Amino acid sequence: MPNIFSNIPSDVPNEIFEDILNTEKLRVERIVSKGQVSPEAGWYDQEENEWVIVLSGFGEIEYINGDKIILKQGDYLHLKAHEKHRVTETSSDDPTVWLAIFY
Amino acid sequence: MPNIFSNIPSDVPNEIFEDILNTEKLRVERIVSKGQVSPEAGWYDQEENEWVIVLSGFGEIEYINGDKIILKQGDYLHLKAHEKHRVTETSSDDPTVWLAIFY
């Protein structure tokens, strides 16, 4: 039985992006972060809409207008295509596990 | 900030089904169970594919061939359209929170 919290290495030198489901209509991705943040100018400007939930740890998202929000366990967020954002903080002790749906 | 574990009543006399996201391509639904099971002949025979993860509690799924699997926290499963299944057990103390994507 696959589990979203399985197979997380103790060292996460780079963020881990894994497709869980990939169909014509949508893609479900697990992202594991451990202290990583987007580079200063590293705005995500995505072709797809994204719905994302934090399942462990936490993450801070910054929008291009300077607004910041912190997502804790269970918090979820919708990001429209081309809604520029970046990750400004993630959990450095317990990994942050994100579940993202791109469509 | 919406949270998947928020707004769960202490009494859950009937399963709660709520759309979190509803687009042309997919639907994301939160399901909250507290001891409910499908009726004996209550096979789900869905038009859509479903990807489902258990985020708290647990649930047991039975397939029409008699196979049963238990999903615990973080376990996820893909059910193809018309893959008949039913829910034979859910957590009766802490509620079972399911996150399901239908597409």
Side-chain angles (χ1 to χ4, degrees):
Chain A
M1 174 69 51
N3 188 290
I4 201 78
F5 303 112
S6 291
N7 300 318
I8 297 178
S10 52
D11 280 337
V12 184
N14 299 297
E15 281 185 308
I16 303 167
F17 298 86
E18 292 159 299
D19 277 2
I20 290 178
L21 183 68
N22 197 333
T23 80
E24 279 181 24
K25 293 188 177 177
L26 75 151
R27 192 161 47 83
V28 178
E29 193 173 279
R30 180 179 80 162
I31 305 161
V32 177
S33 318
K34 205 168 178 180
Q36 290 89 0
V37 300
S38 307
E40 189 69 30
W43 297 100
Y44 284 108
D45 183 7
Q46 300 169 160
E47 300 293 323
E48 298 165 300
N49 300 298
E50 177 179 356
W51 182 89
V52 64
I53 183 169
V54 166
L55 296 182
S56 73
F58 72 92
E60 186 185 62
I61 303 277
E62 182 181 7
Y63 293 96
I64 194 112
N65 71 358
D67 285 354
K68 288 184 175 183
I69 48 166
I70 292 180
L71 283 85
K72 285 172 281 197
Q73 190 179 37
D75 288 340
Y76 59 85
L77 185 69
H78 191 265
L79 294 157
K80 285 188 192 160
H82 300 296
E83 191 169 3
K84 287 186 187 176
H85 63 283
R86 61 191 190 112
V87 177
T88 44
E89 194 174 350
T90 58
S91 177
S92 56
D93 40 6
D94 286 331
T96 302
V97 176
W98 315 75
L99 180 74
I101 306 170
F102 296 94
Y103 69 96
Chain B
M1 175 69 50
N3 187 290
I4 201 78
F5 302 113
S6 292
N7 300 318
I8 297 179
S10 52
D11 280 340
V12 183
N14 298 299
E15 281 184 309
I16 302 167
F17 299 86
E18 292 160 299
D19 276 2
I20 290 179
L21 183 69
N22 197 333
T23 79
E24 278 180 23
K25 293 187 176 178
L26 74 151
R27 192 160 47 81
V28 179
E29 193 173 277
R30 180 179 81 162
I31 305 161
V32 178
S33 318
K34 203 168 180 180
Q36 290 89 1
V37 301
S38 307
E40 190 68 30
W43 297 100
Y44 285 108
D45 182 7
Q46 300 169 159
E47 300 293 324
E48 298 164 301
N49 300 298
E50 177 179 357
W51 183 90
V52 64
I53 183 169
V54 166
L55 296 182
S56 72
F58 72 93
E60 187 186 62
I61 303 277
E62 181 180 9
Y63 293 96
I64 194 111
N65 69 359
D67 285 354
K68 289 184 175 184
I69 49 166
I70 293 180
L71 283 85
K72 286 173 280 197
Q73 191 178 36
D75 287 342
Y76 59 85
L77 185 69
H78 192 264
L79 294 157
K80 285 187 192 162
H82 300 296
E83 191 170 3
K84 286 187 189 177
H85 63 282
R86 61 190 190 114
V87 177
T88 44
E89 195 174 350
T90 58
S91 177
S92 57
D93 40 7
D94 286 330
T96 302
V97 176
W98 315 75
L99 180 74
I101 305 170
F102 296 95
Y103 67 97

